[in-house]
Amino acid sequence: MAQNTEVVVLGGGYAGVMAANRLTQRDDVSVTLINPRPVFVHRIRLHQVVGGSHDVVVDYRKVLAKSVRLVVDTAAWIDTAERGVALAAGGTVGYDYLIYAVGSGSADPRVPGAAEFAHPIAALEEAQRLWSVLDAAPATAAVTVVGAGALGIETAAELAEAGRTVTLVCGEVLGPYLHPRVRRSIAKRLAKLGVTVFEGPETKVTAVTRDTVRLGGDRELPSAVTVWTAGFGVPDLAARSGLSTDALGRLLTDETLTSVDDVRIVAAGDSAAPSDLPLRMSCQAAGPLGAHAADTVLSRIAGGQPASIDVGFFGLCVSLGRRAATVQLASKDDTANRFSIRGRVAVKIKESSYKGLLKHLADEARKPGSHTWPFKDAKRRRLLEAKRDKAPAIRTAHRLTDS
């Protein structure tokens, strides 16, 4: 009788759920998903929670395979020697293989007053708290959004469309990912919504108080509610567990997404740093990386050689309120180009992406192994070769083996 293989997936976001579902293609694999919440969070809609226009909570029964065991708890420690995950509430879950998909969250702002007076929104509870604060604030209260990546832009647009007085502080440039031509288009839409945008080197935030945001050059902006969207961080679970990470804390892996320390640990999503050249943190990469992580584990169980990742991008969808959006197109290596899609077509694409992400997960739960991704990045191999020419190659020898 074949021995059963226990696989634990840490994190129930896009990457973790995709990985857990895909693992169920084998009857001799038992899958446990450990997640702090009993519900799935459709994270790319969090800016809509802040605006009060949408709920982002999804029942796991709609996206997770029935055979996956859900443990609602937080991983406190990974014991690589004993192959177990210690839980915050007590107890340990053992594993034969572990998929590390703990995702990302708000980064430490490291700006005086920001942790005390600014509101991050990278997590469900943060977005819900901010909505409560805004709901209690006067309609005329000045709102300052710090950080002009996609989340900052979307949040500023959502609040301005709802009638709020919004200032967007970029720190440097509006939408660093965007092509200049597309950036100008988005700036026009924000201006039409009434958003005041501060760009340039002197727009870096130096301090936050209860009712102000201070910028470089001693400039001070009134701010009854300050929203912090500048940067993402990752949980320190891997580092605390003695595993190798990059400077941000993402788990260092080889190109198969296998930890450079332990062949039994595979990473996926925002918390993975393959070859110390991580892909952009995004739901766009999370699904393929989750699927690939599962494929790596299944390949090892079968005694095969896992394949290297091959994930490309199509660009970036940016919501600009409920009635407008922009799709910034890009080459497959994630370099933005001058082309974009706007108007009603862009709104439909953005809305279909919301629904499509959940459909991909549900389809994989129903038919594990079916998820594919059309975009591949042929330039990654050249980047790896250039990196190896400039520095010592990433460690590929593992401390542990399959034995």
Side-chain angles (χ1 to χ4, degrees), residues 79-303:
D79 187 339
T80 57
E82 297 296 326
R83 295 179 190 162
V85 178
L87 302 177
T92 300
V93 179
Y95 65 84
D96 294 305
Y97 289 92
L98 175 75
I99 292 184
Y100 187 84
V102 296
S104 61
S106 300
D108 182 353
R110 297 184 181 179
V111 171
E116 183 179 0
F117 298 113
H119 300 272
I121 57 170
L124 173 63
E125 295 78 10
E126 293 171 342
Q128 290 172 332
R129 282 194 294 270
L130 176 56
W131 180 85
S132 297
V133 170
L134 287 166
D135 189 51
T140 56
V143 178
T144 302
V145 178
V146 179
L151 181 59
I153 292 171
E154 291 184 329
T155 302
E158 189 81 16
L159 294 177
E161 190 175 71
R164 293 286 179 178
T165 302
V166 182
T167 298
L168 179 61
V169 177
C170 301
E172 284 288 349
V173 66
L174 176 70
Y177 176 86
L178 303 171
H179 185 277
R181 180 182 180 184
V182 180
R183 183 178 297 122
R184 289 192 293 271
S185 171
I186 287 178
K188 289 180 181 178
R189 173 60 185 174
L190 290 173
K192 187 175 181 180
L193 288 170
V195 178
T196 301
V197 178
F198 284 91
E199 288 186 273
E202 289 198 348
T203 63
K204 288 185 181 295
V205 176
T206 59
V208 179
T209 70
R210 190 179 302 277
D211 54 11
T212 64
V213 172
R214 294 172 186 165
L215 309 180
D218 295 326
R219 186 164 196 168
E220 194 168 275
L221 304 176
S223 182
V225 181
T226 301
V227 185
W228 198 272
T229 71
F232 291 93
V234 299
D236 64 352
L237 177 62
R240 283 191 286 111
S241 302
L243 295 165
S244 298
T245 65
D246 69 358
L248 193 64
R250 291 171 287 211
L251 185 69
L252 282 176
T253 76
D254 62 16
E255 284 296 284
T256 72
L257 299 179
T258 304
S259 164
V260 298
D261 301 311
D262 190 335
V263 76
R264 299 261 179 181
I265 298 178
V266 180
D270 290 354
S271 53
S275 303
D276 206 11
L277 288 172
L279 283 74
R280 171 164 57 91
M281 290 183 176
S282 63
C283 58
Q284 195 174 153
L289 288 177
H292 192 99
D295 289 346
T296 291
V297 170
L298 292 172
S299 178
R300 293 199 185 282
I301 293 171

